[in-house]
Amino acid sequence: MTDLENRIAQFRKMASDDPDNELGHYRLGQLLMENKQFDQAVESFKRTLELSPQFSKVFQLLGKTLLESGKKEEAATVLKKGWGVADERGDKLPRDEMGKMLVEMGESLPESKRPAQTAAPAGGGGFPCKRPGCQQGSSARKLPAPPFKDEFGSKVFENICADCWTDWLRNYSIKVINEMRLDLSTERGQAEYDRHMLEFLGLEN
Ligand SMILES: [Zn+2]
């Protein structure tokens, strides 16, 4: 088995052991896509969206995968819906990527449902959480303080809402450690853990 196939097997197990874990389905979809198993990747992304319908980046990947497997019409439908979700949530990057794909396909962009932007950001809105799939919307709150004293801590503080951070700590970090059988005392285990954390939080770059 190649390394990629190994990781696919790992995540397939994670997704079937814990079928309501959006993270498992999402990563499985990405790996299947990388391995050009497009039909299976489509299934994983669809499942992710059932669990987390606001996860705008998944629409982008699902649209791309559908295009790769020649399902242009379905791709357009998915991308238009995803564009709307991303636009409403203010997920600028996935929205623009999906917009670009739609234009390349010769499709028109859906109408934006957002109120016209004023020059200054409107006050009173929620904290602009960057986590893909954040469900908090306008009720998102900033963490009271950075969770760590280093650069990563301030990155989380500036970009991630309090609920998403708690969700990572209480739920997903434990899942990742258990299901991936990570040994955090090793450098490899720690690196793998960090990678999952950055992916979950949408802070890869
Ligand atoms: Zn959030």
Side-chain angles (χ1 to χ4, degrees):
M1 269 209 279
T2 65
D3 191 41
L4 184 57
E5 283 164 346
N6 267 323
R7 294 183 60 206
I8 288 173
Q10 239 177 0
F11 274 95
R12 211 187 278 288
K13 183 167 187 319
M14 180 167 168
S16 75
D17 287 354
D18 185 7
D20 294 335
N21 179 353
E22 60 183 8
L23 182 74
H25 294 285
Y26 174 60
R27 279 302 288 154
L28 177 59
Q30 284 185 309
L31 293 167
L32 288 166
M33 198 175 165
E34 200 179 319
N35 208 31
K36 303 201 185 309
Q37 292 171 266
F38 298 121
D39 289 346
Q40 292 186 39
V42 163
E43 292 311 310
S44 295
F45 290 139
K46 283 185 176 166
R47 181 74 190 125
T48 312
L49 284 176
E50 276 170 30
L51 295 167
S52 185
Q54 300 293 311
F55 199 158
S56 57
K57 170 98 182 165
V58 180
F59 286 97
Q60 179 194 331
L61 296 177
L62 176 57
K64 194 167 175 216
T65 313
L66 286 165
L67 271 183
E68 296 277 7
S69 42
K71 296 180 178 135
K72 202 177 158 193
E73 225 165 280
E74 199 183 343
T77 309
V78 164
L79 289 170
K80 282 180 184 174
K81 188 166 175 210
W83 190 94
V85 170
D87 184 55
E88 218 174 324
R89 291 177 33 83
D91 297 339
K92 207 167 168 310
L93 219 67
R95 185 197 65 188
D96 293 349
E97 283 299 316
M98 287 188 270
K100 214 161 75 185
M101 286 163 76
L102 283 166
V103 169
E104 277 165 12
M105 291 163 73
E107 298 282 341
S108 58
L109 291 185
E111 195 109 351
S112 177
K113 291 199 185 73
R114 278 165 79 85
Q117 296 281 331
T118 46
F127 171 73
C129 178
K130 298 249 170 66
R131 186 201 149 203
C134 174
Q135 308 274 354
Q136 303 308 317
S138 60
S139 63
R141 297 164 299 132
K142 196 172 167 76
L143 278 161
F148 310 107
K149 287 205 164 67
D150 59 5
E151 197 188 324
F152 176 71
S154 23
K155 208 168 168 187
V156 169
F157 184 57
E158 294 305 327
N159 296 292
I160 302 301
C161 80
D163 291 281
C164 285
W165 180 249
T166 308
D167 201 21
W168 164 256
L169 280 187
R170 299 234 174 103
N171 305 315
Y172 288 97
S173 63
I174 296 160
K175 276 185 191 173
V176 164
I177 294 169
N178 288 342
E179 289 160 27
M180 308 306 292
R181 297 201 178 79
L182 294 184
D183 177 359
L184 294 182
S185 64
T186 64
E187 213 166 288
R188 200 184 148 177
Q190 188 63 52
E192 185 82 348
Y193 178 84
D194 288 349
R195 202 168 52 76
H196 284 293
M197 178 166 65
L198 293 177
E199 267 169 17
F200 177 83
L201 298 172
L203 297 176
E204 290 107 315
N205 299 311

